Amino acid sequence: MNSEDLRTTLTELFGSAAQELAANSWQIETHSFRLLVLLSDDHSWLRALVPIASAQEARPFLEQLLEANFDVTQEARYALHQEVLWGVFQHSLHDLTIEDFSNAVARLLTLHQQGLSQSFNQFVEKRIRQIVQAAKRQGQSLETTLQTLDRFYQEGLMGELTQSSDSREQVMAVWQRQLEKIWHEVESDPSGGTMT
C-alpha cells in the first residue's frame, strides 16, 4: 500500500468526509465519529486513530481495556494519550493490504461505537461475582443477599437517599436478575473460599 492507495481507499470508504489535512494526514469527521489517519514522515508507518472517551472516564476500566487489547480488539488497540482514550491501529505501510486497512478501520469504528459500555459491563459483572463470593463465604443464600442489598439501598449506603421506592424496586429487580444469573456459576470451596 502507498499513500495514493490510502487516499483512494479512504475516499471509497467515506466519500467526501475524507479530508486531507496536510501531506500524509487525513481526517474523516462525521456526526458520529472522528477518525485520523497519519503517515510517518518517511512513509514507512501508518497510524489510524479514533477518540473514544476522556482518560478520566476510562481510568476505572483500565484493567478491562488492557484485557480487551489481549483478547478482543484484534488489529486495533486501546491507548491513552493527552488525556484521551484512543482506538489505535499501527502498521508498516509497505506490507499493509487494502483489505487489512479496511478491516482495521472497521474495527476502530466498532471500538468507538462501543465506547466504554463493554468495559463497564465487564467491570460490573466482576463486582457482582465478588459480591456473590463474599455472600457465599458468609453462608448467605441468594435471598439473604438480596435482602442485604435492599437494606443498603433503603439506608442510603448504595444508591441515593432521595431515590423513590419505585426507582429502588427497579434497581433491585436488576440486581436480582444479575445475581440469579451468576449465583450458580460461583461454586463454594470447602476450604472456605469460593471458586468460579
Side-chain angles (χ1 to χ4, degrees):
M1 187 173 221
N2 58 40
S3 58
E4 189 54 42
D5 295 332
L6 186 56
R7 183 179 291 107
T8 301
T9 302
L10 289 170
T11 301
E12 288 174 0
L13 289 173
F14 301 106
S16 62
Q19 299 293 317
E20 194 161 354
L21 298 176
N24 306 314
S25 64
W26 294 265
Q27 174 177 273
I28 296 85
E29 192 160 4
T30 71
H31 65 280
S32 57
F33 69 87
R34 179 174 169 233
L35 174 72
L36 300 170
V37 179
L38 311 168
L39 292 181
S40 62
D41 289 339
D42 64 0
H43 295 202
S44 63
W45 277 87
L46 170 136
R47 178 182 293 165
L49 52 158
V50 62
I52 297 173
S54 73
Q56 182 178 356
E57 291 174 293
R59 278 194 182 92
F61 312 112
L62 289 179
E63 181 180 345
Q64 288 74 29
L65 293 166
L66 289 173
E67 287 175 359
N69 276 352
F70 190 80
D71 287 331
V72 179
T73 61
Q74 298 174 0
E75 63 273 271
R77 295 287 177 265
Y78 290 108
L80 288 173
H81 184 63
Q82 296 182 341
E83 291 301 306
V84 174
L85 174 68
W86 298 87
V88 179
F89 170 75
Q90 296 185 122
H91 202 284
S92 165
L93 191 61
H94 173 71
D95 56 355
L96 180 62
T97 67
I98 292 171
E99 181 181 0
D100 287 342
F101 174 70
S102 297
N103 289 339
V105 167
R107 173 59 57 186
L108 289 173
L109 296 180
T110 297
L111 294 180
H112 172 76
Q113 183 179 19
Q114 289 173 345
L116 294 172
S117 63
Q118 191 170 14
S119 298
F120 174 78
N121 292 339
Q122 291 168 336
F123 178 84
V124 167
E125 182 172 330
K126 185 175 185 177
R127 295 303 177 257
I128 292 172
R129 287 182 181 279
Q130 290 172 339
I131 289 170
V132 169
Q133 289 173 346
K136 285 190 170 190
R137 268 196 298 271
Q138 295 172 7
Q140 291 184 5
S141 66
L142 173 61
E143 293 74 23
T144 305
T145 303
L146 283 167
Q147 289 170 356
T148 301
L149 288 170
D150 188 45
R151 189 182 83 239
F152 287 165
Y153 276 95
Q154 288 178 18
E155 295 173 359
L157 296 172
M158 295 177 74
E160 297 185 25
L161 285 172
T162 59
Q163 189 174 29
S164 70
S165 60
D166 287 343
S167 175
R168 190 174 69 244
E169 284 178 26
Q170 291 173 351
V171 168
M172 289 309 300
V174 171
W175 270 109
Q176 183 169 353
R177 283 193 303 273
Q178 291 299 317
L179 287 174
E180 286 173 347
K181 177 180 144 190
I182 293 173
W183 191 268
H184 299 291
E185 294 176 12
V186 178
E187 296 178 23
S188 294
D189 180 357
S191 65
T194 57
M195 299 171 18
T196 56

